Short mmCIF file of all heavy atoms in Angstrom, two decimals:
data_model
loop_
_atom_site.label_atom_id
_atom_site.label_comp_id
_atom_site.label_asym_id
_atom_site.label_seq_id
_atom_site.Cartn_x
_atom_site.Cartn_y
_atom_site.Cartn_z
N VAL I 1 31.06 -6.97 18.97
CA VAL I 1 30.11 -5.88 19.14
C VAL I 1 30.82 -4.72 19.82
O VAL I 1 31.49 -4.91 20.84
CB VAL I 1 28.88 -6.32 19.97
CG1 VAL I 1 27.97 -5.15 20.24
CG2 VAL I 1 28.14 -7.43 19.26
N LEU I 2 30.65 -3.55 19.27
CA LEU I 2 31.19 -2.32 19.84
C LEU I 2 30.01 -1.51 20.37
O LEU I 2 29.06 -1.24 19.62
CB LEU I 2 31.92 -1.54 18.76
CG LEU I 2 32.56 -0.22 19.14
CD1 LEU I 2 33.66 -0.45 20.17
CD2 LEU I 2 33.11 0.46 17.91
N ALA I 3 30.01 -1.20 21.66
CA ALA I 3 28.89 -0.49 22.27
C ALA I 3 29.39 0.68 23.10
O ALA I 3 30.41 0.58 23.78
CB ALA I 3 28.08 -1.43 23.16
N PHE I 4 28.67 1.79 22.99
CA PHE I 4 28.97 2.99 23.76
C PHE I 4 27.70 3.45 24.46
O PHE I 4 26.63 3.40 23.88
CB PHE I 4 29.45 4.13 22.85
CG PHE I 4 30.74 3.86 22.16
CD1 PHE I 4 30.77 3.37 20.87
CD2 PHE I 4 31.94 4.09 22.82
CE1 PHE I 4 31.97 3.13 20.22
CE2 PHE I 4 33.15 3.84 22.19
CZ PHE I 4 33.16 3.35 20.89
N ALA I 5 27.85 3.92 25.68
CA ALA I 5 26.72 4.48 26.42
C ALA I 5 26.95 5.97 26.62
O ALA I 5 28.08 6.40 26.86
CB ALA I 5 26.57 3.79 27.77
N ARG I 6 25.90 6.73 26.53
CA ARG I 6 25.94 8.16 26.81
C ARG I 6 24.88 8.41 27.87
O ARG I 6 23.68 8.35 27.58
CB ARG I 6 25.64 8.94 25.54
CG ARG I 6 25.56 10.41 25.74
CD ARG I 6 26.93 11.02 25.60
NE ARG I 6 26.81 12.47 25.65
CZ ARG I 6 27.69 13.23 26.21
NH1 ARG I 6 28.78 12.71 26.72
NH2 ARG I 6 27.55 14.52 26.23
N GLY I 7 25.33 8.63 29.10
CA GLY I 7 24.38 8.76 30.19
C GLY I 7 23.81 7.39 30.53
O GLY I 7 24.25 6.37 30.00
N PRO I 8 22.82 7.34 31.38
CA PRO I 8 22.29 6.06 31.83
C PRO I 8 21.30 5.41 30.85
O PRO I 8 20.96 4.25 31.02
CB PRO I 8 21.59 6.40 33.14
CG PRO I 8 21.17 7.82 32.95
CD PRO I 8 22.27 8.46 32.14
N ARG I 9 20.87 6.13 29.80
CA ARG I 9 19.79 5.57 28.97
C ARG I 9 20.04 5.54 27.48
O ARG I 9 19.22 5.02 26.73
CB ARG I 9 18.50 6.33 29.25
CG ARG I 9 18.06 6.15 30.70
CD ARG I 9 16.73 6.77 30.98
NE ARG I 9 15.70 6.12 30.18
CZ ARG I 9 14.53 6.67 29.91
NH1 ARG I 9 14.25 7.85 30.34
NH2 ARG I 9 13.66 6.02 29.18
N PHE I 10 21.15 6.08 26.97
CA PHE I 10 21.40 6.08 25.52
C PHE I 10 22.56 5.16 25.20
O PHE I 10 23.63 5.27 25.79
CB PHE I 10 21.70 7.50 25.03
CG PHE I 10 21.97 7.55 23.56
CD1 PHE I 10 20.93 7.53 22.65
CD2 PHE I 10 23.26 7.61 23.08
CE1 PHE I 10 21.18 7.56 21.29
CE2 PHE I 10 23.52 7.65 21.72
CZ PHE I 10 22.47 7.62 20.83
N VAL I 11 22.35 4.24 24.26
CA VAL I 11 23.38 3.26 23.88
C VAL I 11 23.44 3.16 22.36
O VAL I 11 22.41 3.13 21.69
CB VAL I 11 23.06 1.86 24.46
CG1 VAL I 11 24.10 0.85 24.01
CG2 VAL I 11 22.99 1.92 25.98
N SER I 12 24.65 3.11 21.84
CA SER I 12 24.89 2.83 20.44
C SER I 12 25.62 1.49 20.36
O SER I 12 26.62 1.29 21.05
CB SER I 12 25.76 3.93 19.81
OG SER I 12 26.15 3.56 18.52
N MET I 13 25.12 0.58 19.54
CA MET I 13 25.74 -0.74 19.37
C MET I 13 26.01 -0.99 17.89
O MET I 13 25.13 -0.77 17.06
CB MET I 13 24.81 -1.85 19.87
CG MET I 13 24.57 -1.87 21.35
SD MET I 13 23.38 -3.17 21.82
CE MET I 13 24.23 -4.65 21.30
N THR I 14 27.23 -1.43 17.58
CA THR I 14 27.58 -1.81 16.22
C THR I 14 28.05 -3.26 16.23
O THR I 14 28.95 -3.62 16.99
CB THR I 14 28.69 -0.90 15.66
OG1 THR I 14 28.22 0.45 15.68
CG2 THR I 14 29.04 -1.29 14.23
N ASN I 15 27.45 -4.06 15.39
CA ASN I 15 27.82 -5.47 15.31
C ASN I 15 28.84 -5.65 14.19
O ASN I 15 28.51 -5.59 13.01
CB ASN I 15 26.58 -6.33 15.04
CG ASN I 15 26.90 -7.81 15.04
OD1 ASN I 15 28.04 -8.20 15.22
ND2 ASN I 15 25.90 -8.62 14.83
N LEU I 16 30.09 -5.86 14.57
CA LEU I 16 31.17 -6.07 13.61
C LEU I 16 31.46 -7.54 13.38
O LEU I 16 32.37 -7.88 12.62
CB LEU I 16 32.44 -5.36 14.12
CG LEU I 16 32.28 -3.86 14.39
CD1 LEU I 16 33.50 -3.31 15.11
CD2 LEU I 16 32.01 -3.11 13.11
N SER I 17 30.70 -8.41 14.03
CA SER I 17 30.93 -9.85 13.90
C SER I 17 30.23 -10.39 12.64
O SER I 17 29.52 -9.66 11.94
CB SER I 17 30.41 -10.59 15.13
OG SER I 17 29.00 -10.62 15.14
N GLY I 18 30.37 -11.65 12.41
CA GLY I 18 29.78 -12.28 11.24
C GLY I 18 28.40 -12.86 11.47
O GLY I 18 27.80 -13.43 10.56
N SER I 19 27.87 -12.72 12.69
CA SER I 19 26.54 -13.27 12.98
C SER I 19 25.73 -12.30 13.82
O SER I 19 26.28 -11.41 14.46
CB SER I 19 26.66 -14.62 13.70
OG SER I 19 27.40 -14.46 14.89
N ALA I 20 24.41 -12.48 13.80
CA ALA I 20 23.51 -11.59 14.54
C ALA I 20 23.67 -11.79 16.05
O ALA I 20 24.00 -12.88 16.51
CB ALA I 20 22.07 -11.87 14.14
N VAL I 21 23.43 -10.72 16.80
CA VAL I 21 23.47 -10.76 18.26
C VAL I 21 22.16 -10.15 18.79
O VAL I 21 21.55 -9.31 18.13
CB VAL I 21 24.69 -9.99 18.85
CG1 VAL I 21 25.98 -10.63 18.43
CG2 VAL I 21 24.67 -8.54 18.44
N PRO I 22 21.72 -10.58 19.97
CA PRO I 22 20.45 -10.05 20.49
C PRO I 22 20.57 -8.59 20.92
O PRO I 22 21.60 -8.17 21.45
CB PRO I 22 20.14 -10.96 21.68
CG PRO I 22 21.45 -11.54 22.09
CD PRO I 22 22.29 -11.61 20.85
N ILE I 23 19.51 -7.86 20.70
CA ILE I 23 19.41 -6.48 21.18
C ILE I 23 18.88 -6.55 22.61
O ILE I 23 17.97 -7.34 22.90
CB ILE I 23 18.45 -5.66 20.29
CG1 ILE I 23 19.07 -5.51 18.89
CG2 ILE I 23 18.15 -4.30 20.90
CD1 ILE I 23 18.14 -4.89 17.89
N PRO I 24 19.42 -5.76 23.55
CA PRO I 24 18.94 -5.81 24.93
C PRO I 24 17.42 -5.62 24.99
O PRO I 24 16.87 -4.71 24.37
CB PRO I 24 19.66 -4.65 25.61
CG PRO I 24 20.90 -4.45 24.80
CD PRO I 24 20.50 -4.78 23.39
N ARG I 25 16.75 -6.47 25.75
CA ARG I 25 15.28 -6.42 25.85
C ARG I 25 14.78 -5.18 26.58
O ARG I 25 13.65 -4.77 26.37
CB ARG I 25 14.77 -7.67 26.56
CG ARG I 25 14.98 -8.91 25.76
CD ARG I 25 14.43 -10.09 26.49
NE ARG I 25 14.78 -11.31 25.78
CZ ARG I 25 14.08 -12.40 25.83
NH1 ARG I 25 13.01 -12.46 26.58
NH2 ARG I 25 14.45 -13.45 25.15
N ASP I 26 15.61 -4.63 27.44
CA ASP I 26 15.18 -3.47 28.24
C ASP I 26 15.47 -2.16 27.51
O ASP I 26 15.83 -1.17 28.12
CB ASP I 26 15.86 -3.50 29.61
CG ASP I 26 17.37 -3.42 29.51
OD1 ASP I 26 17.91 -3.59 28.41
OD2 ASP I 26 18.01 -3.18 30.54
N SER I 27 15.29 -2.15 26.18
CA SER I 27 15.57 -0.95 25.40
C SER I 27 14.58 -0.77 24.26
O SER I 27 13.89 -1.70 23.87
CB SER I 27 17.00 -1.01 24.85
OG SER I 27 17.13 -2.12 23.98
N THR I 28 14.52 0.47 23.76
CA THR I 28 13.70 0.82 22.62
C THR I 28 14.62 1.26 21.49
O THR I 28 15.52 2.07 21.71
CB THR I 28 12.75 1.98 22.98
OG1 THR I 28 11.92 1.57 24.07
CG2 THR I 28 11.88 2.37 21.81
N VAL I 29 14.39 0.74 20.31
CA VAL I 29 15.21 1.12 19.16
C VAL I 29 14.81 2.53 18.71
O VAL I 29 13.64 2.79 18.43
CB VAL I 29 15.05 0.12 18.00
CG1 VAL I 29 15.80 0.59 16.76
CG2 VAL I 29 15.53 -1.25 18.42
N LEU I 30 15.78 3.43 18.66
CA LEU I 30 15.55 4.78 18.17
C LEU I 30 15.81 4.87 16.67
O LEU I 30 15.08 5.53 15.93
CB LEU I 30 16.45 5.77 18.90
CG LEU I 30 16.27 5.85 20.41
CD1 LEU I 30 17.32 6.75 21.03
CD2 LEU I 30 14.87 6.36 20.75
N LEU I 31 16.89 4.20 16.23
CA LEU I 31 17.29 4.23 14.83
C LEU I 31 18.18 3.03 14.58
O LEU I 31 18.94 2.62 15.46
CB LEU I 31 18.07 5.52 14.54
CG LEU I 31 18.52 5.78 13.11
CD1 LEU I 31 17.31 5.99 12.20
CD2 LEU I 31 19.42 7.00 13.06
N ALA I 32 18.08 2.46 13.40
CA ALA I 32 18.93 1.32 13.05
C ALA I 32 19.32 1.43 11.58
O ALA I 32 18.56 1.94 10.76
CB ALA I 32 18.21 0.01 13.30
N SER I 33 20.50 0.93 11.25
CA SER I 33 20.98 0.99 9.86
C SER I 33 20.48 -0.19 9.02
O SER I 33 20.79 -0.26 7.83
CB SER I 33 22.50 1.07 9.84
OG SER I 33 23.08 -0.09 10.41
N ALA I 34 19.75 -1.11 9.62
CA ALA I 34 19.14 -2.24 8.92
C ALA I 34 17.93 -2.71 9.73
O ALA I 34 17.68 -2.20 10.82
CB ALA I 34 20.15 -3.37 8.75
N ASP I 35 17.21 -3.67 9.21
CA ASP I 35 16.02 -4.18 9.89
C ASP I 35 16.41 -4.94 11.16
O ASP I 35 17.18 -5.90 11.10
CB ASP I 35 15.25 -5.11 8.96
CG ASP I 35 13.98 -5.66 9.58
OD1 ASP I 35 13.49 -5.07 10.57
OD2 ASP I 35 13.48 -6.68 9.08
N VAL I 36 15.90 -4.50 12.30
CA VAL I 36 16.16 -5.15 13.59
C VAL I 36 14.84 -5.54 14.27
O VAL I 36 14.81 -5.78 15.47
CB VAL I 36 17.01 -4.26 14.53
CG1 VAL I 36 18.39 -4.03 13.96
CG2 VAL I 36 16.32 -2.93 14.80
N SER I 37 13.77 -5.62 13.49
CA SER I 37 12.44 -5.86 14.05
C SER I 37 12.32 -7.22 14.75
O SER I 37 11.45 -7.39 15.59
CB SER I 37 11.38 -5.75 12.96
OG SER I 37 11.61 -6.70 11.93
N GLY I 38 13.20 -8.15 14.46
CA GLY I 38 13.15 -9.45 15.12
C GLY I 38 13.86 -9.48 16.46
O GLY I 38 13.91 -10.52 17.11
N GLY I 39 14.42 -8.35 16.89
CA GLY I 39 15.11 -8.30 18.17
C GLY I 39 16.57 -8.70 18.09
O GLY I 39 17.23 -8.86 19.11
N TRP I 40 17.09 -8.85 16.88
CA TRP I 40 18.49 -9.23 16.67
C TRP I 40 19.20 -8.15 15.87
O TRP I 40 18.62 -7.56 14.96
CB TRP I 40 18.58 -10.55 15.92
CG TRP I 40 18.13 -11.70 16.76
CD1 TRP I 40 16.85 -12.12 16.95
CD2 TRP I 40 18.95 -12.54 17.56
NE1 TRP I 40 16.83 -13.18 17.82
CE2 TRP I 40 18.11 -13.46 18.20
CE3 TRP I 40 20.32 -12.60 17.79
CZ2 TRP I 40 18.58 -14.43 19.06
CZ3 TRP I 40 20.79 -13.58 18.64
CH2 TRP I 40 19.94 -14.48 19.27
N LEU I 41 20.45 -7.91 16.20
CA LEU I 41 21.29 -6.94 15.50
C LEU I 41 22.11 -7.71 14.47
O LEU I 41 23.01 -8.47 14.82
CB LEU I 41 22.20 -6.22 16.50
CG LEU I 41 23.10 -5.12 15.97
CD1 LEU I 41 22.27 -3.99 15.37
CD2 LEU I 41 23.99 -4.58 17.08
N PRO I 42 21.79 -7.55 13.17
CA PRO I 42 22.52 -8.28 12.14
C PRO I 42 23.99 -7.86 12.06
O PRO I 42 24.37 -6.80 12.56
CB PRO I 42 21.79 -7.90 10.84
CG PRO I 42 20.49 -7.34 11.26
CD PRO I 42 20.72 -6.73 12.61
N ALA I 43 24.78 -8.67 11.38
CA ALA I 43 26.19 -8.33 11.14
C ALA I 43 26.27 -7.01 10.36
O ALA I 43 25.37 -6.70 9.57
CB ALA I 43 26.85 -9.44 10.34
N ASP I 44 27.32 -6.24 10.63
CA ASP I 44 27.57 -4.98 9.92
C ASP I 44 26.41 -3.99 10.05
O ASP I 44 26.03 -3.32 9.08
CB ASP I 44 27.90 -5.22 8.45
CG ASP I 44 29.10 -6.12 8.28
OD1 ASP I 44 30.07 -5.95 9.05
OD2 ASP I 44 29.10 -6.98 7.37
N THR I 45 25.82 -3.92 11.23
CA THR I 45 24.67 -3.05 11.48
C THR I 45 24.89 -2.27 12.78
O THR I 45 25.46 -2.79 13.73
CB THR I 45 23.38 -3.89 11.61
OG1 THR I 45 23.19 -4.62 10.39
CG2 THR I 45 22.16 -3.03 11.86
N THR I 46 24.40 -1.03 12.78
CA THR I 46 24.44 -0.20 13.99
C THR I 46 23.02 0.12 14.42
O THR I 46 22.14 0.33 13.59
CB THR I 46 25.19 1.12 13.73
OG1 THR I 46 26.55 0.81 13.40
CG2 THR I 46 25.18 2.04 14.95
N VAL I 47 22.82 0.13 15.74
CA VAL I 47 21.52 0.48 16.30
C VAL I 47 21.74 1.48 17.44
O VAL I 47 22.73 1.41 18.16
CB VAL I 47 20.76 -0.78 16.80
CG1 VAL I 47 21.44 -1.43 17.97
CG2 VAL I 47 19.32 -0.45 17.14
N TRP I 48 20.84 2.45 17.53
CA TRP I 48 20.87 3.43 18.62
C TRP I 48 19.66 3.13 19.49
O TRP I 48 18.54 3.02 19.00
CB TRP I 48 20.80 4.84 18.06
CG TRP I 48 22.05 5.21 17.32
CD1 TRP I 48 23.14 5.85 17.81
CD2 TRP I 48 22.33 4.94 15.94
NE1 TRP I 48 24.09 5.99 16.83
CE2 TRP I 48 23.63 5.44 15.66
CE3 TRP I 48 21.65 4.31 14.90
CZ2 TRP I 48 24.22 5.35 14.41
CZ3 TRP I 48 22.23 4.21 13.66
CH2 TRP I 48 23.51 4.73 13.43
N LEU I 49 19.90 2.98 20.79
CA LEU I 49 18.87 2.51 21.72
C LEU I 49 18.63 3.50 22.86
O LEU I 49 19.55 4.20 23.28
CB LEU I 49 19.30 1.18 22.35
CG LEU I 49 19.67 0.06 21.41
CD1 LEU I 49 20.36 -1.06 22.19
CD2 LEU I 49 18.45 -0.46 20.69
N ARG I 50 17.42 3.47 23.39
CA ARG I 50 17.08 4.17 24.63
C ARG I 50 16.67 3.09 25.62
O ARG I 50 15.75 2.33 25.37
CB ARG I 50 15.93 5.14 24.40
CG ARG I 50 15.29 5.68 25.65
CD ARG I 50 15.79 6.96 26.19
NE ARG I 50 15.99 8.00 25.23
CZ ARG I 50 16.84 9.01 25.43
NH1 ARG I 50 17.52 9.07 26.55
NH2 ARG I 50 17.01 9.93 24.53
N ALA I 51 17.40 3.00 26.73
CA ALA I 51 17.05 2.04 27.77
C ALA I 51 15.72 2.45 28.40
O ALA I 51 15.45 3.64 28.56
CB ALA I 51 18.15 1.96 28.82
N THR I 52 14.90 1.48 28.77
CA THR I 52 13.62 1.81 29.39
C THR I 52 13.85 2.38 30.78
O THR I 52 14.90 2.21 31.38
CB THR I 52 12.73 0.55 29.49
OG1 THR I 52 13.41 -0.40 30.30
CG2 THR I 52 12.43 -0.02 28.13
N ALA I 53 12.84 3.03 31.32
CA ALA I 53 12.95 3.64 32.64
C ALA I 53 13.24 2.60 33.72
O ALA I 53 13.85 2.91 34.74
CB ALA I 53 11.67 4.40 32.97
N ALA I 54 12.81 1.37 33.49
CA ALA I 54 13.02 0.32 34.48
C ALA I 54 14.45 -0.18 34.50
O ALA I 54 14.88 -0.83 35.44
CB ALA I 54 12.08 -0.85 34.19
N ALA I 55 15.21 0.12 33.45
CA ALA I 55 16.59 -0.38 33.37
C ALA I 55 17.51 0.41 34.29
O ALA I 55 17.46 1.63 34.36
CB ALA I 55 17.09 -0.26 31.93
N GLU I 56 18.35 -0.29 35.00
CA GLU I 56 19.31 0.34 35.90
C GLU I 56 20.62 0.66 35.19
O GLU I 56 21.29 1.60 35.50
CB GLU I 56 19.59 -0.56 37.10
CG GLU I 56 18.40 -0.74 38.01
CD GLU I 56 17.99 0.55 38.69
OE1 GLU I 56 18.87 1.33 39.06
OE2 GLU I 56 16.78 0.78 38.82
N ALA I 57 20.99 -0.15 34.21
CA ALA I 57 22.24 0.03 33.47
C ALA I 57 21.91 0.07 31.98
O ALA I 57 20.95 -0.54 31.54
CB ALA I 57 23.20 -1.12 33.76
N PRO I 58 22.71 0.80 31.17
CA PRO I 58 22.40 0.93 29.75
C PRO I 58 22.51 -0.37 28.98
O PRO I 58 21.68 -0.67 28.16
CB PRO I 58 23.41 1.95 29.26
CG PRO I 58 24.50 1.95 30.27
CD PRO I 58 23.87 1.54 31.58
N ALA I 59 23.53 -1.16 29.24
CA ALA I 59 23.72 -2.44 28.56
C ALA I 59 24.75 -3.23 29.33
O ALA I 59 25.65 -2.66 29.96
CB ALA I 59 24.18 -2.23 27.13
N ALA I 60 24.62 -4.52 29.30
CA ALA I 60 25.57 -5.36 30.03
C ALA I 60 26.99 -5.10 29.57
O ALA I 60 27.26 -5.12 28.38
CB ALA I 60 25.20 -6.83 29.85
N GLY I 61 27.86 -4.81 30.50
CA GLY I 61 29.27 -4.59 30.18
C GLY I 61 29.60 -3.23 29.63
O GLY I 61 30.74 -2.96 29.29
N VAL I 62 28.61 -2.35 29.52
CA VAL I 62 28.86 -1.00 28.99
C VAL I 62 28.77 -0.01 30.14
O VAL I 62 27.71 0.17 30.72
CB VAL I 62 27.83 -0.62 27.90
CG1 VAL I 62 28.09 0.79 27.39
CG2 VAL I 62 27.86 -1.63 26.77
N PRO I 63 29.87 0.65 30.51
CA PRO I 63 29.82 1.61 31.60
C PRO I 63 29.02 2.85 31.22
O PRO I 63 29.05 3.28 30.07
CB PRO I 63 31.29 1.95 31.86
CG PRO I 63 31.97 1.64 30.56
CD PRO I 63 31.20 0.52 29.93
N ALA I 64 28.32 3.40 32.17
CA ALA I 64 27.56 4.62 31.94
C ALA I 64 28.50 5.82 31.90
O ALA I 64 29.52 5.84 32.57
CB ALA I 64 26.51 4.81 33.03
N ASP I 65 28.14 6.82 31.11
CA ASP I 65 28.94 8.03 30.99
C ASP I 65 28.33 9.09 31.91
O ASP I 65 27.51 9.88 31.52
CB ASP I 65 28.92 8.51 29.54
CG ASP I 65 29.71 9.78 29.35
OD1 ASP I 65 30.65 10.04 30.11
OD2 ASP I 65 29.37 10.54 28.40
N ASP I 66 28.70 9.06 33.19
CA ASP I 66 28.09 9.98 34.18
C ASP I 66 28.85 11.24 34.32
O ASP I 66 29.91 11.48 34.43
CB ASP I 66 27.97 9.30 35.53
CG ASP I 66 26.94 8.18 35.47
OD1 ASP I 66 26.00 8.30 34.69
OD2 ASP I 66 27.11 7.21 36.21
#
């Protein structure tokens, strides 16, 4: 998974692996290149997320762009 954060609340995640990975629960999907309604990011799919106001960090392991 390749993930980038822009500021404390915007995250782009691309799943380059061969299996689905969970989308962070503390986020809202803004746009996705495939169906992610089940809360999983399928293989070969990109999703753009907005972290909820309650979230302190954009995504685990992704540094914020301050």
